[in-house]
């Protein structure tokens, strides 16, 4: 019982329910290991008693971070303060990115003369320096306690002093109710950027290709967005981990995505012969991918681009460009300097900082400070690459908006980072070392999953006012029209797996979802961006409701949308949820053509991934597909009848368009009949995950130019023409 109580106090689950009627106990040694990663020693019964006594005797006047939502009841931490307590809110500095311009408000001082119950808070407005004393009677419904002065939206410091002179200070997150919403009926494309090669690419898709796709899609087919894979910085090495979902850093983008020729200094490089040679080599890489069956080779692409960028970096910046770069350095601050230093050290000592000389493993050590000075030029080079990439990200979003897109570029936030990368080095105290994020066993994977990503420590996040999380979001949202959050359930809890143990021996660790959501809503509100959460798979009760309350859209994939609480049949379009991004597939699933033909089953059979015989799997798959096709036929969405693959793909998207979903996403490979998934979960070297170019129905790679000219694409997009515009309610985006 003691261990269970101690675990509960730290948000560590001692059991979980993979299904409503099943409860699984977590092994004690797993609980002990997870507590140790949180700085709690529970190795012996005596240790448990000692830590439990200390935890239960510790009385906090305020938790480390307090959340207030505009127009909603005060949290118990504030509403339940002793009568006579003085509350002072110290506003955040006005020079922070995203902070409203103008003079920061003075500190807000207020006194709780009566212990007020939870009551709605008025919408933020201009605050007076003093509060009106609270009446003895509780406030009427819909009224705020008279002593409470709502602060402006932001991340502030709140100071409390009680009549008996107890004091406390905490971070106060004052958030709006919801994130901005996209216009209803918005459609767009989903694409893995590396897979989208144009005639000018250097062996993989780049930010120039992204901008070009956005302009074409906005102007030619009326699309409202283009969603891409995470563009986070990868861990260098040969071979580099090709997965965009296991990056070195989520805070900064990867310069491999740069379109080199678009950099202003490129035209002033003196060594033109070397540049010409590099461009010829890049053209050969693209030719091999597009016409000779080669896979996308990120390492080869980066080697060519790195050499070109080294030459570009030798060109002096103009005064205006220099000023812009200096502003970027100042805005990004210590985080960028650390990232640049990690990249420079990785060039010397290798990409795993755990193997570096001991003095360099601590980013704040004297040895690291000396290395920072010695490698100053290389640090500056990597910082400049981050700036160049950020400017091209901004240019892509501007291009999308100028082309009439209502949303623009939808960026993707991976659930975690590589254990050896820049983020875990520079923010070591924020990560639970010796732990990995994954998923528990379920009906689809009896072994569970281990993703090899160290989790953030929820206690450190709270103690630091979620500074790392805020910085991450601010960087991603700066050049985004919307943000997709992979495994959005991680805002609530994550499955931690102790190092060396199978995923079945993991457990859930809870995060402060109110704080995680409040920071997300605040940063999205400041950036004017929408948010889409990937909420597929096992979702704890109440999670989808909490996300919807804050305006975070869900993800609905056609093949999974069935009446699971009823007859299990395909869900009629009018019964789909409204607040979602509706798609036919994702990067982890078969393309629509492969699903309709059963090709995905034969692929998995060829790779030894089936748990039943090929005949059984094909029969089950055919039955599933036939049910959907029958529904499409009943709804008169398939006038061409059976046997027409292209018509069936159009019918699927015609169905998606019929749903009330706010956003409809079209997997770009679906527009040309591609049958290959970009990623096949459960494989590593058995399948070329994350290395395939978009291909047509015959498997021949196609360029961006060929895709946009495809008759098959244009026939498909005809069914997704924008709906009749409507008047948007207050607070909602308009096209």
């Amino acid at each position: 019982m003691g261990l269970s109580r101690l675990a509960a106090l730290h948000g560590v689950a001692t059991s979980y329910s993979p299904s409503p009627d099943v409860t699984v106990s977590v092994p004690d040694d797993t609980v002990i290991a997870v507590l140790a990663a949180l700085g709690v020693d529970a190795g012996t019964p005596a240790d448990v008693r000692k830590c439990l006594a200390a935890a239960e005797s510790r009385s906090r006047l305020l938790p480390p971070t307090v959340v207030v939502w505009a127009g909603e009841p005060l949290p118990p931490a504030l509403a339940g303060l002793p009568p006579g307590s003085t509350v002072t809110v110290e506003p955040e500095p006005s020079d922070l990115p995203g902070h409203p311009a103008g003079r920061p408000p003075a500190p807000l001082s207020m006194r709780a003369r009566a212990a007020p119950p939870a009551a709605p808070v008025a919408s933020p407005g201009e605050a007076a320096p003093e509060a009106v004393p609270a009446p003895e009677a509780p406030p009427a419904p819909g009224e705020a306690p008279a002593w409470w002065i709502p602060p402006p939206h932001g991340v502030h410091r709140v100071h409390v002093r009680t009549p008996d002179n107890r004091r406390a200070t905490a971070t106060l997150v004052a958030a709006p109710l919801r994130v901005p919403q996209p216009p209803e009926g918005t459609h767009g494309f989903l694409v893995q950027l590396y897979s989208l090669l144009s005639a000018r690419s250097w062996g993989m898709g780049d930010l120039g290709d992204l901008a070009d796709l956005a302009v074409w899609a906005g102007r030619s087919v009326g699309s409202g967005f283009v969603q891409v894979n995470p563009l986070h910085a990868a861990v260098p090495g040969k071979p580099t981990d090709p997965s965009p979902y296991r990056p070195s850093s989520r805070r900064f983008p990867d310069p491999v995505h740069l379109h080199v020729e678009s950099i202003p200094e490129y035209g002033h490089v003196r060594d033109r012969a070397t540049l010409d040679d590099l461009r010829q080599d890049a053209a050969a890489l693209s030719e091999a991918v597009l016409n000779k069956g080669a896979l996308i080779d990120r390492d080869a692409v980066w080697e060519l681009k790195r050499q070109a960028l080294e030459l570009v970096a030798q060109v002096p910046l103009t005064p205006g460009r220099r000023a812009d770069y200096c502003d970027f350095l100042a805005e990004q601050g210590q985080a960028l300097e650390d990232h640049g230093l990690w990249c420079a050290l990785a060039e010397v000592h290798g990409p795993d900082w755990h193997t570096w000389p001991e003095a360099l493993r601590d980013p704040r050590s004297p040895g690291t400070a000396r290395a920072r000075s010695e490698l100053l030029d290389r640090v500056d080079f990597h910082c400049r690459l981050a700036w160049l990439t950020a400017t091209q990200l901004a240019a892509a979003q501007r291009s999308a908006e100028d082309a009439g897109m209502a949303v623009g570029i939808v960026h993707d936030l991976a659930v975690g980072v590589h254990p050896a990368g820049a983020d875990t080095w520079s923010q070591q105290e924020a990560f639970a070392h010796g732990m990995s994020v994954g998923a528990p066993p379920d009906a689809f994977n009896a072994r569970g999953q281990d993703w090899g990503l160290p989790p953030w420590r929820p206690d450190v996040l709270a103690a630091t006012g979620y500074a790392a999380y805020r910085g991450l979001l601010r960087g991603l949202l700066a050049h985004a029209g919307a943000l997709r959050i992979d495994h959005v359930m991680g805002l609530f809890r994550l499955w931690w797996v102790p190092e060396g143990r199978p995923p079945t021996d993991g457990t859930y660790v809870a995060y402060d979802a109110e704080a995680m959501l409040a920071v997300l809503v605040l940063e999205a509100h400041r950036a004017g961006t929408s948010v889409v959460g990937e909420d597929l798979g096992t979702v704890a009760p109440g999670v989808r409701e909490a996300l919807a309350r804050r305006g975070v859209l869900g993800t609905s994939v056609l093949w999974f949308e069935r009446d699971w609480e009823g007859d299990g049949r395909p869900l009629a379009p009018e019964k789909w949820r409204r607040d979602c991004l509706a798609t036919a597939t994702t990067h982890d699933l078969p393309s629509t053509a492969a699903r309709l033909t059963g090709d995905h089953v034969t692929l998995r059979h060829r790779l030894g991934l089936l748990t039943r015989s090929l005949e059984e799997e094909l029969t089950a798959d055919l039955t599933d597909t036939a049910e959907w096709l029958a529904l499409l036929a009943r709804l008169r969405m398939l006038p061409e009848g059976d046997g027409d693959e292209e018509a069936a793909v159009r019918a699927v998207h015609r169905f998606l368009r019929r749903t009330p979903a706010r956003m409809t996403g079209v997997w770009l490979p679906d527009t040309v009949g591609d049958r290959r998934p970009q990623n096949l979960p459960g494989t590593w070297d058995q399948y070329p995950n994350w290395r395939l170019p978009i291909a047509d129905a015959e498997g021949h790679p196609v360029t961006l130019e060929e895709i946009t000219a495809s008759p098959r694409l244009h026939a498909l997009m005809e069914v997704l023409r924008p709906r009749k515009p409507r008047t948007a309610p207050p607070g909602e985006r308009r096209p």
Side-chain angles (χ1 to χ4, degrees):
M1 289 295 294
L3 182 62
S4 296
R5 292 208 313 276
L6 184 63
L9 288 172
H10 292 87
V12 180
T14 54
S15 65
Y16 67 97
S17 298
S19 59
D21 56 342
V22 176
T23 299
V24 178
S25 295
V26 175
D28 285 353
D29 53 356
T30 293
V31 176
I32 292 169
V34 170
L35 286 171
L38 292 170
V40 180
D41 185 1
T44 68
D47 293 330
V48 171
R49 289 192 296 271
K50 179 181 178 181
C51 291
L52 189 58
E56 292 179 336
S57 64
R58 191 182 305 124
S59 176
R60 295 186 62 98
L61 188 59
L62 288 178
T65 297
V66 180
V67 172
V68 292
W69 298 96
E72 289 193 356
L74 286 178
L78 292 175
L81 289 172
S85 297
T86 298
V87 181
T88 303
V89 176
E90 178 186 346
E92 69 178 349
S94 60
D95 58 351
L96 291 177
H99 192 285
R103 187 176 181 179
L108 313 177
S109 181
M110 54 207 91
R111 186 179 296 275
R113 290 185 56 191
V121 181
S123 298
E126 185 175 352
E130 293 290 336
V132 178
E136 296 301 323
E143 294 182 1
W147 63 268
W148 174 251
I149 303 173
H153 297 153
V155 180
H156 316 296
R157 296 294 288 171
V158 59
H159 309 277
V160 170
R161 187 181 70 215
T162 65
D164 59 358
N165 211 34
R166 287 184 295 149
R167 298 171 183 264
T169 297
T171 299
L172 177 69
V173 181
L177 282 176
R178 290 164 60 85
V179 300
Q181 298 294 287
E184 288 188 1
T186 304
H187 73 77
F189 292 107
L190 319 176
V191 63
Q192 299 282 292
L193 181 57
Y194 59 83
S195 71
L196 181 68
L197 282 73
S198 69
R200 65 182 187 181
S201 299
W202 285 39
M204 61 182 282
D206 58 40
L207 292 173
D209 299 323
L210 175 60
D212 207 37
L213 174 66
V215 171
W216 170 82
R219 295 192 185 280
S220 299
V221 294
S223 295
F225 66 91
V226 174
Q227 177 181 302
V228 295
N229 54 285
L231 304 182
H232 309 318
V235 177
K238 293 185 178 180
T240 299
D241 187 337
S243 173
Y245 291 92
R246 204 163 180 251
S248 169
S249 173
R250 297 187 294 175
R251 177 73 183 267
F252 297 102
D254 198 315
V256 75
H257 300 111
L258 281 168
H259 180 239
V260 180
E261 293 95 325
S262 293
I263 300 172
E265 290 73 37
Y266 178 88
H268 300 279
V269 171
R270 291 186 176 182
D271 189 352
R272 306 308 299 181
T274 300
L275 275 187
D276 289 344
D277 288 344
L278 292 172
R279 291 179 63 179
Q280 289 179 13
D281 291 343
L285 280 181
S286 290
E287 171 68 15
V289 171
L290 294 171
N291 296 310
K292 298 181 180 179
L295 298 175
I296 292 171
D297 187 341
R298 183 197 178 281
D299 295 327
V301 173
W302 173 238
E303 180 58 28
L304 295 178
K305 287 192 175 183
R306 184 194 59 76
Q307 294 180 51
L309 292 167
E310 298 273 8
L311 295 173
V312 169
Q314 295 174 15
V315 178
L317 297 174
T318 65
R321 293 271 290 167
R322 168 62 62 180
D324 189 45
Y325 178 42
C326 290
D327 285 348
F328 180 79
L329 292 173
E331 182 178 287
Q332 300 300 322
Q334 185 71 55
L336 176 59
E337 187 176 332
D338 286 345
H339 178 71
L341 178 57
W342 183 92
C343 293
L345 288 170
E347 290 177 332
V348 178
H349 301 288
D352 185 350
W353 62 267
H354 299 92
T355 67
W356 293 355
E358 188 170 354
L360 301 180
R361 297 176 197 171
D362 179 357
R364 306 291 169 248
S365 73
T368 300
R370 287 192 298 272
R372 193 183 306 265
S373 177
E374 294 166 357
L375 297 171
L376 187 60
D377 288 345
R378 296 307 298 173
V379 173
D380 180 70
F381 174 69
H382 290 289
C383 289
R384 185 181 293 201
L385 294 187
W387 168 61
L388 292 173
T389 312
T391 60
Q392 290 196 5
L393 287 169
Q397 176 61 15
R398 284 195 304 272
S399 296
E401 292 173 345
D402 291 346
M405 283 193 163
V407 176
I409 309 302
V410 182
H411 286 285
D412 198 351
L413 173 60
V415 70
V417 294
H418 196 287
D423 283 0
T424 58
W425 176 74
S426 62
Q427 303 170 6
Q428 292 178 37
E429 68 286 348
F431 288 91
H433 300 282
M435 293 289 144
S436 177
V437 173
D442 56 29
F444 300 99
N445 193 328
R447 300 177 182 176
Q449 300 176 57
D450 183 344
W451 302 331
L453 308 170
W456 265 337
R457 285 181 54 166
D459 56 330
V460 174
L461 285 177
T464 56
Y466 294 84
Y469 178 48
R470 286 187 279 129
L472 167 62
L473 290 174
R474 191 166 295 158
L476 282 172
L477 294 170
H479 311 303
L483 180 67
R484 174 191 182 269
I485 300 180
D486 191 45
H487 194 70
V488 72
M489 295 80 78
L491 300 181
F492 297 77
R493 67 180 187 179
L494 283 171
W495 183 258
W496 287 23
V497 181
E499 186 177 357
R501 299 179 185 271
T504 50
D505 285 355
T507 190
Y508 280 114
V509 175
Y511 291 75
D512 184 343
E514 278 288 286
M516 298 289 278
L517 281 173
V519 170
L520 173 64
V521 172
L522 173 64
E523 295 298 338
H525 174 80
R526 286 175 161 175
T529 57
S530 305
V531 179
V532 178
E534 186 271 296
D535 57 351
L536 303 174
T538 302
V539 182
V543 168
R544 287 196 174 104
E545 293 77 7
L547 293 170
R549 184 181 182 189
R550 300 304 170 201
V552 178
L553 305 184
T555 301
S556 294
V557 177
L558 181 131
W559 311 100
F560 301 153
E561 291 297 311
R562 289 176 171 269
D563 184 9
W564 298 113
E565 297 180 0
D567 58 15
R569 293 187 179 279
L571 200 62
E574 66 273 11
K575 294 184 178 180
W576 283 42
R577 53 181 168 171
R578 174 172 173 262
D579 295 326
C580 75
L581 166 63
T583 71
T585 189
T586 73
H587 58 267
D588 283 334
L589 297 173
S591 69
T592 304
R595 175 79 67 170
L596 292 168
T597 59
D599 284 4
H600 69 109
V601 177
T602 56
L603 171 62
R604 292 172 61 234
H605 170 69
R606 192 163 64 247
L607 297 174
L609 299 176
L610 298 184
T611 57
R612 297 180 292 181
S613 70
L614 176 61
E615 183 179 354
E616 290 176 303
E617 290 280 357
L618 284 173
T619 299
D621 186 71
L622 177 62
T623 301
D624 181 90
T625 303
E627 283 189 304
W628 278 104
L629 291 175
L631 175 59
L632 296 175
R634 287 198 302 273
L635 295 174
R636 299 183 179 180
M637 295 181 179
L638 189 53
E640 298 86 351
D642 296 337
D644 188 331
E645 177 192 305
E646 291 188 39
V649 172
R650 290 195 297 271
V652 163
H653 289 85
R654 194 174 285 119
F655 179 96
L656 294 176
R657 195 62 167 160
R658 180 81 65 86
T659 72
R662 278 188 172 274
M663 300 173 71
T664 302
V666 180
W667 178 235
L668 190 60
D670 272 350
T671 65
V672 289
D674 198 343
R675 280 165 162 68
R676 306 169 305 173
Q678 281 294 316
N679 178 51
L680 192 58
T683 63
W684 176 244
D685 56 359
Q686 308 99 308
Y687 186 79
N689 296 318
W690 318 113
R691 290 172 287 172
L692 292 172
I694 298 175
D696 61 21
E698 286 70 43
H700 188 277
V702 287
T703 63
L704 169 60
E705 293 84 358
E706 291 169 329
I707 293 170
T708 57
S710 166
R712 179 167 179 160
L713 177 146
H714 285 276
L716 174 58
M717 298 312 294
E718 281 295 314
V719 308
L720 291 169
R721 285 190 176 277
R723 299 168 184 164
K724 184 179 180 181
R726 66 173 184 86
T727 301
E732 183 176 297
R733 290 189 183 184
R734 290 174 173 81

